[in-house]
Amino acid sequence: MLKTEIIDNMKKIVSECMGEETPACVATCPMHTDVKEYIRLLREGKGEEALLTVREKLFLPGTLGRICAHPCEGKCKIAEIHSPMSIAGLKRYIADHYDNEKLWSMEKAPATGKKIAVIGAGPSGMQSALDMIRKGYEVTVFEKLPVKGGMMAVGIPEYRLPRDILSWEISYLEKLGVNFQMNCEIGKDIEFDEILSKFDGVVVAVGKHKGRNGSNISSPDITNASDFLRAVALDKTSVSIGKKVLVVGGGDVAMDCARVARRLNGVEEVYSLALEKSFDEMTASKHEVKGAFEEGITFIHGYGVKDIIVNSENRLEKIIAKQCLSLFNENGMFSPSFDETSLKTIEIDTIIFAIGQEVDGRFAKDILTQRRNSTFECDKLTLQSINNPKVFIAGDASGESVIVIQAMATGRRAAESLDRFLKGEDLSAGRELKDTSSYDTKLKRDVNWEEVFERRVDIPELDPQERIKSFKEVSLGYTPEQAQYEADRCRQCECRLCMKECMMLKNFTSCPKELFRDYLEKGYEHMDKMIAFSCNECSQCTIKCPKDLDLRSNFTELKNQYIRDNNNQQVIENLVDSDRIQRMECSPKYCTSVQEKKSPKYVFVPGCTIPAYKPELVEKVYAHLKEVLGDDVSAMLRCCGKVTKMIGEEDKFVLRNKLANDEIESMGAEVIVTICPSCFKTFSDTSDKKVISYWDLMREKIGLPKEAIGKGKNSPVKFNVHDSCVTRDVISHHENIRWILKEMGYQFEEMHNVGKNTRCCGVGGMVCSSNPELYKEIYTRRANDCTQDSVISYCGSCRGTLEAAGKDSLHILDLLFGDTYNESTFEKRSYKSEDEMWANRLATKELLEK
């Protein structure tokens, strides 16, 4: 059974890993459109695939590309320093250039025989209708207006949303078989009770079409935004207003009213009266304010209506405005205060109040309960009415939606709930509000700002002097070149930095969260053992992880547990031979200790790989140590047991490592001198002695062998230096190897991924034996990090691996004790057979004992 701390660490990874977290753009979109994916596809030239990705969630891509409030852009990572991605602009580009009826999915589930009524053909109602007909229900939409689309058709001006685009996209629902009953007012043309009796389920999705008037005066020259915009949308030629128009309000609807009025025949002046003291304080989007300003709208900031003056014929003459001192009270509530003595008089012919809208729920007043804000009471998660279980509320009527995309999301949520209700399923099980609303993602990532283009491409628009002459679309959309530029700005936000680095993880999972969730749910004993035995134990995953999550400890302990479960016998066939070799390396035949006096201060431990590689290098290091330290240095040829530990045989490691430490103790040495990074790390962890590398000892105390100084100054060869991942955190090793090269006069330059960020050569975790195919992938990648043909290592295993990868690979000792290196051509230096390896070990033993 796995240790409690390992189980807890797995749970921590599952809880905190950001590998499955969505980008902010996707999380913020209430419909969770895969922005990252469709932008990726677009910039790769896959326009139709991008369109299909958008349509997986949105049936109105062209419409939303034009009028969506795009909350996603406010959360775009690039917005932290530059202008955010033009997400809506790219969506529109994809729709305008690639949408085609042939790409519209006509798939529907088998018919259920049940009928659904949807009241309201706005965005939420149509989304519910679409989802329900796809689920196999017969759907009828009842709409009071003569046009489909709700506020998109009668609230959003045509210059922002061409009606042919909207109508064409809505036709998808008709093609699927949705039945629309137009000009059908509930409570007048058909009673709500009748709908309840004829249909198996009902979605109430009426919008806020009831405008608020800011005056009790009844005059034909005073109207509200909802009535005004609807009248213009249905028949602009029949709308007649005066020459001077005043719009009251500082939001987007007010800007729509002002800009629409500016386009009507006979209008000469349009004023915008807002309580806010400046453009920056206005709640309207900056783009809409800018558009209104360019079109000649006159802004009067910091004033509200005090009096409306009409003549004897009840026609509007002027208003008296009073200065607004503040918008909010001490509790932060909206409660404007005014200076009743600071006044302005504005002569006008028409006043349009754009100060809010309400749901007209009179059709259901005896059946559904309305809140004070005019919306219907319903469960927040399921949107089920509190009065009638077969009724579900969507869009503005639910009290939730403010923008079109959120209205659509509530329509989807209502449809999901109604489907479950009709199937007799739990309405809440496995659901969260964030499924169909914006939420804050846990994904945090850094961006290389040098790779980000400075600002986004502004979408071209009609000249202001031309656009006020008609209702032609103002925004012209991106050109292909502009869309490509903008798409290229996307950083494709995700974490998975460990996945990009670790080749082993990529072979077994999509991210650590998924992997360790599987371990916890399935049990480690049911997982592929090769996963744990393929870990290099290099810790690059943790280095790359923004949360420093520790994966290595889990894999190390998993290996140990698999061995324990198998009666301390190896479970990976390829590693059985590694244990045999370790057993031999720890046997008396290949081990020895030499000392010239009792309790010498230093003991030189050459490890296993260099004695097997070149016995003479061990001899020369020992000779150098004795030359400087005299009889205060001794030597021990014995394995530290690191390989045994790497292959999961913990109990055997403890015994083999104890043999080494006991031998050092018996020699009386105080300081262990290593040339092997694994020995350095192992003895640092298991011995109470001071452990120092030969490289650090030279820099700190004994210097280089005299014959090594300056020997490389005439060499034409330039080296890379590969740092061992075992001692990635031992900075002195990195620095002193380079110091040695400088002292010898050799040229070198840094390869990619060095020092603390070095990559494993592939031997780590004995992956070279357990998973040879992965080992080859890893060492090939490491070789590709090189910028030179010749590479210096200070780990014997690393040297051999880089040679296997095709590099001219030398150990630092080759340079210290060899002739001046003048050839950069490949020379194979490794022993040719296992017999030669053991012969070299015996030769090393003999050289130390002579």
Side-chain angles (χ1 to χ4, degrees):
M1 185 173 181
L2 286 174
K3 296 177 180 178
T4 300
E5 58 265 32
I6 296 300
I7 296 293
D8 290 343
N9 190 44
M10 288 183 178
K11 290 178 179 178
K12 176 181 174 67
I13 293 169
V14 172
S15 172
E16 298 184 14
C17 173
M18 299 186 292
E20 293 181 346
E21 292 298 323
T22 54
C25 54
V26 178
T28 309
C29 174
M31 291 289 282
H32 305 314
T33 318
D34 197 345
V35 176
K36 172 185 159 187
E37 179 66 5
Y38 75 66
I39 291 180
R40 181 188 70 79
L41 290 167
L42 176 63
R43 73 183 186 188
E44 291 178 1
K46 301 173 181 176
E48 286 194 358
E49 291 93 328
L51 184 279
L52 292 172
T53 300
V54 176
R55 278 194 163 273
E56 284 178 7
K57 296 293 178 70
L58 307 176
F59 75 97
L60 298 167
T63 297
L64 289 168
R66 288 166 166 81
I67 55 91
C68 185
H70 47 71
C72 50
E73 293 186 14
K75 294 288 187 176
C76 176
K77 182 68 179 179
I78 304 177
E80 293 179 10
I81 190 168
H82 295 313
S83 49
M85 289 291 303
S86 180
I87 296 171
L90 290 176
K91 186 188 295 108
R92 171 187 168 173
Y93 177 85
I94 291 168
D96 287 354
H97 288 76
Y98 299 104
D99 204 358
N100 187 308
E101 291 183 33
K102 294 179 181 179
L103 299 175
W104 295 359
S105 172
M106 304 306 292
E107 292 184 8
K108 295 190 292 185
T112 63
K114 295 182 178 181
K115 298 189 298 182
I116 305 299
V118 176
I119 301 175
S124 61
M126 289 192 295
Q127 187 66 58
S128 287
L130 173 60
D131 288 1
M132 293 305 286
I133 200 166
R134 281 175 169 170
K135 294 176 187 293
Y137 297 96
E138 182 183 333
V139 180
T140 300
V141 178
F142 295 89
E143 173 54 57
K144 177 180 179 180
L145 295 169
V147 293
K148 308 177 188 73
M151 276 297 183
M152 295 185 296
V154 299
I156 296 174
E158 191 174 354
Y159 65 80
R160 288 177 56 202
L161 176 57
R163 296 303 181 247
D164 59 333
I165 298 291
L166 179 63
S167 298
W168 181 65
E169 292 189 324
I170 292 175
S171 71
Y172 175 45
L173 275 68
E174 296 172 300
K175 287 178 171 60
L176 281 172
V178 175
N179 177 36
F180 285 90
Q181 296 291 314
M182 308 304 296
N183 294 300
C184 183
E185 183 176 350
I186 310 302
K188 179 180 178 182
D189 298 302
I190 184 173
E191 294 298 325
F192 190 42
D193 277 338
E194 184 179 344
I195 290 177
L196 289 175
S197 65
K198 287 184 176 180
F199 291 87
D200 298 290
V202 179
V203 175
V204 174
V206 291
K208 290 185 176 181
H209 289 264
K210 184 179 179 181
R212 295 175 185 166
N213 285 333
S215 170
N216 293 325
I217 297 175
S218 177
S219 167
D221 303 324
I222 302 173
T223 186
N224 60 70
S226 182
D227 291 347
F228 171 69
L229 292 174
R230 180 170 59 250
V232 174
L234 293 177
D235 185 6
K236 62 178 71 68
T237 61
S238 67
V239 177
S240 177
I241 57 179
K243 295 179 180 180
K244 297 181 180 181
V245 179
L246 176 75
V247 178
V248 179
D252 281 334
V253 175
M255 295 304 100
D256 285 342
C257 291
R259 296 179 72 182
V260 167
R262 186 73 178 87
R263 286 164 167 76
L264 294 178
N265 290 332
V267 174
E268 296 177 357
E269 297 179 58
V270 178
Y271 299 93
S272 171
L273 184 74
L275 297 176
E276 295 90 344
K277 296 179 180 179
S278 68
F279 289 115
D280 289 338
E281 294 181 26
M282 292 178 69
T283 57
S285 62
K286 297 297 182 286
H287 181 77
E288 289 301 313
V289 173
K290 177 176 178 289
F293 182 82
E294 290 174 342
E295 292 170 5
I297 309 302
T298 300
F299 286 85
I300 303 172
H301 287 118
Y303 280 83
V305 177
K306 174 177 171 62
D307 293 310
I308 297 175
I309 310 299
V310 296
N311 61 22
S312 58
E313 297 177 353
N314 205 31
R315 303 309 297 249
L316 184 62
E317 287 189 346
K318 61 186 175 183
I319 70 155
I320 299 174
K322 55 186 175 180
Q323 185 178 16
C324 180
L325 300 177
S326 64
L327 291 174
F328 304 97
N329 61 22
E330 61 276 9
N331 297 320
M333 304 294 291
F334 181 72
S335 180
S337 63
F338 298 92
D339 182 348
E340 301 287 342
T341 64
S342 181
L343 306 176
K344 281 187 178 183
T345 299
I346 309 169
E347 293 183 357
I348 53 173
D349 302 313
T350 304
I351 184 170
I352 303 168
F353 283 99
I355 55 174
Q357 294 153 233
E358 297 177 350
V359 171
D360 186 353
R362 289 174 295 180
F363 69 89
K365 63 182 180 180
D366 296 326
I367 301 172
L368 303 181
T369 303
Q370 283 195 277
R371 305 183 181 99
R372 288 184 178 179
N373 67 359
S374 81
T375 61
F376 296 107
E377 290 193 9
C378 57
D379 181 83
K380 188 171 181 62
L381 174 61
T382 67
L383 299 180
Q384 187 176 43
S385 167
I386 65 168
N387 299 97
N388 190 316
K390 70 187 288 185
V391 177
F392 295 81
I393 317 296
D396 289 334
S398 71
E400 184 173 321
S401 65
V402 176
I403 58 176
V404 170
I405 195 74
Q406 183 59 50
M408 294 173 68
T410 62
R412 171 152 289 174
R413 192 190 315 161
E416 170 68 16
S417 297
L418 179 51
D419 179 48
R420 290 188 180 203
F421 171 76
L422 294 173
K423 291 176 178 177
E425 299 174 351
D426 189 314
L427 269 62
S428 302
R431 301 175 75 186
E432 297 181 74
L433 274 175
K434 73 174 189 177
D435 297 338
T436 47
S437 62
S438 297
Y439 65 91
D440 290 329
T441 179
K442 294 180 182 178
L443 178 62
K444 308 294 179 186
R445 62 157 293 184
D446 294 326
V447 169
N448 182 355
W449 295 115
E450 294 180 358
E451 298 177 355
V452 181
F453 302 145
E454 185 172 340
R455 56 170 288 117
R456 75 182 188 178
V457 182
D458 289 330
I459 300 176
E461 295 184 341
L462 283 175
D463 179 85
Q465 296 306 311
E466 288 297 317
R467 66 197 193 207
I468 60 174
K469 297 176 182 178
S470 71
F471 281 81
K472 288 182 179 180
E473 186 172 13
V474 169
S475 176
L476 301 177
Y478 281 137
T479 65
E481 295 76 19
Q482 291 170 330
Q484 184 67 49
Y485 177 96
E486 186 61 24
D488 286 342
R489 294 177 71 235
C490 179
R491 295 301 90 198
Q492 291 290 292
C493 294
E494 65 176 358
C495 186
R496 306 197 188 204
L497 297 174
C498 58
M499 302 298 299
K500 294 173 183 176
E501 177 61 34
C502 179
M503 304 185 82
M504 167 277 222
L505 286 174
K506 286 189 287 189
N507 282 357
F508 293 104
T509 189
S510 66
C511 73
K513 187 184 192 79
E514 177 194 59
L515 179 63
F516 289 107
R517 183 170 57 229
D518 285 346
Y519 273 110
L520 291 171
E521 293 177 356
K522 299 176 181 178
Y524 75 94
E525 63 273 22
H526 300 297
M527 298 290 286
D528 183 357
K529 296 180 178 62
M530 186 56 75
I531 299 174
F533 285 93
S534 295
C535 173
N536 277 134
E537 301 184 4
C538 66
S539 295
Q540 271 283 13
C541 50
T542 301
I543 291 171
K544 299 296 183 183
C545 178
K547 293 180 175 280
D548 298 323
L549 296 175
D550 175 18
L551 279 61
R552 171 182 175 173
S553 295
N554 290 349
F555 294 128
T556 298
E557 182 55 28
L558 282 164
K559 289 192 286 187
N560 295 339
Q561 189 61 49
Y562 286 133
I563 301 296
R564 287 194 288 266
D565 291 348
N566 196 41
N567 296 318
N568 286 327
Q569 298 300 309
Q570 185 53 246
V571 295
I572 302 297
E573 185 177 351
N574 287 353
L575 293 177
V576 173
D577 201 47
S578 296
D579 181 59
R580 175 187 66 82
I581 293 172
Q582 279 276 279
R583 187 168 61 251
M584 292 178 66
E585 286 174 334
C586 294
S587 68
K589 180 178 181 180
Y590 296 100
C591 298
T592 190
S593 298
V594 293
Q595 62 187 102
E596 295 183 9
K597 76 171 189 178
K598 186 177 181 180
S599 301
K601 182 175 181 179
Y602 300 92
V603 57
F604 167 47
V605 180
C608 302
T609 53
I610 297 302
Y613 169 53
K614 286 185 180 178
E616 64 272 19
L617 294 180
V618 176
E619 178 188 32
K620 290 177 180 179
V621 172
Y622 190 39
H624 177 220
L625 292 171
K626 288 198 295 183
E627 178 185 350
V628 180
L629 302 173
D631 61 4
D632 214 16
V633 64
S634 57
M636 179 188 75
L637 181 63
R638 180 179 287 277
C639 182
C640 68
K642 176 64 182 294
V643 170
T644 306
K645 184 178 180 67
M646 287 195 293
I647 63 177
E649 299 178 7
E650 181 70 17
D651 291 347
K652 291 180 182 178
F653 163 72
V654 171
L655 293 174
R656 289 167 182 169
N657 178 254
K658 186 175 186 300
L659 289 174
N661 277 314
D662 286 350
E663 182 68 16
I664 293 171
E665 188 67 35
S666 69
M667 295 171 71
E670 301 173 12
V671 180
I672 302 171
V673 181
T674 66
I675 55 175
C676 170
S678 289
C679 288
F680 178 90
K681 177 63 175 171
T682 301
F683 285 120
S684 295
D685 291 343
T686 62
S687 174
D688 59 359
K689 311 296 182 185
K690 177 181 178 180
V691 184
I692 188 170
S693 71
Y694 180 45
W695 336 118
D696 288 2
L697 186 63
M698 280 193 280
R699 181 77 178 270
E700 293 176 13
K701 184 170 184 176
I702 66 175
L704 272 66
K706 293 183 178 60
E707 63 274 15
I709 297 174
K711 75 160 58 174
K713 63 183 180 180
N714 294 321
S715 173
V717 181
K718 182 179 285 188
F719 294 98
N720 281 150
V721 180
H722 163 76
D723 293 303
S724 170
C725 65
V726 177
T727 52
R728 65 166 68 255
D729 293 321
V730 188
I731 306 303
S732 62
H733 289 197
H734 315 155
E735 293 175 346
N736 291 336
I737 290 296
R738 289 156 177 81
W739 169 76
I740 291 169
L741 288 169
K742 289 178 182 178
E743 290 292 298
M744 287 193 289
Y746 281 110
Q747 302 176 72
F748 67 93
E749 70 177 19
E750 299 298 353
M751 62 192 293
H752 302 295
N753 301 299
V754 295
K756 295 188 72 171
N757 293 314
T758 192
R759 283 174 165 166
C760 181
C761 68
V763 173
M766 288 305 290
V767 174
C768 54
S769 297
S770 63
N771 195 336
E773 291 184 2
L774 176 60
Y775 169 55
K776 185 175 182 179
E777 291 179 31
I778 294 170
Y779 74 56
T780 299
R781 180 184 67 172
R782 186 54 176 156
N784 289 334
D785 281 339
C786 294
T787 60
Q788 296 293 327
D789 293 328
S790 298
V791 188
I792 292 297
S793 304
Y794 46 98
C795 167
S797 295
C798 292
R799 189 218 64 79
T801 294
L802 288 170
E803 181 179 276
K807 305 307 293 185
D808 179 32
S809 182
L810 297 89
H811 195 281
I812 186 68
L813 295 177
D814 287 318
L815 296 187
L816 273 168
F817 298 108
D819 296 333
T820 298
Y821 194 71
N822 290 310
E823 299 294 329
S824 60
T825 55
F826 174 76
E827 175 190 340
K828 187 169 178 62
R829 299 176 176 86
S830 297
Y831 47 80
K832 297 178 177 59
S833 66
E834 184 177 327
D835 288 342
E836 185 178 345
M837 176 187 78
W838 293 119
N840 286 344
R841 282 294 299 267
L842 289 175
T844 301
K845 179 179 179 180
E846 293 171 0
L847 289 171
L848 289 174
E849 291 177 340
K850 72 177 183 180

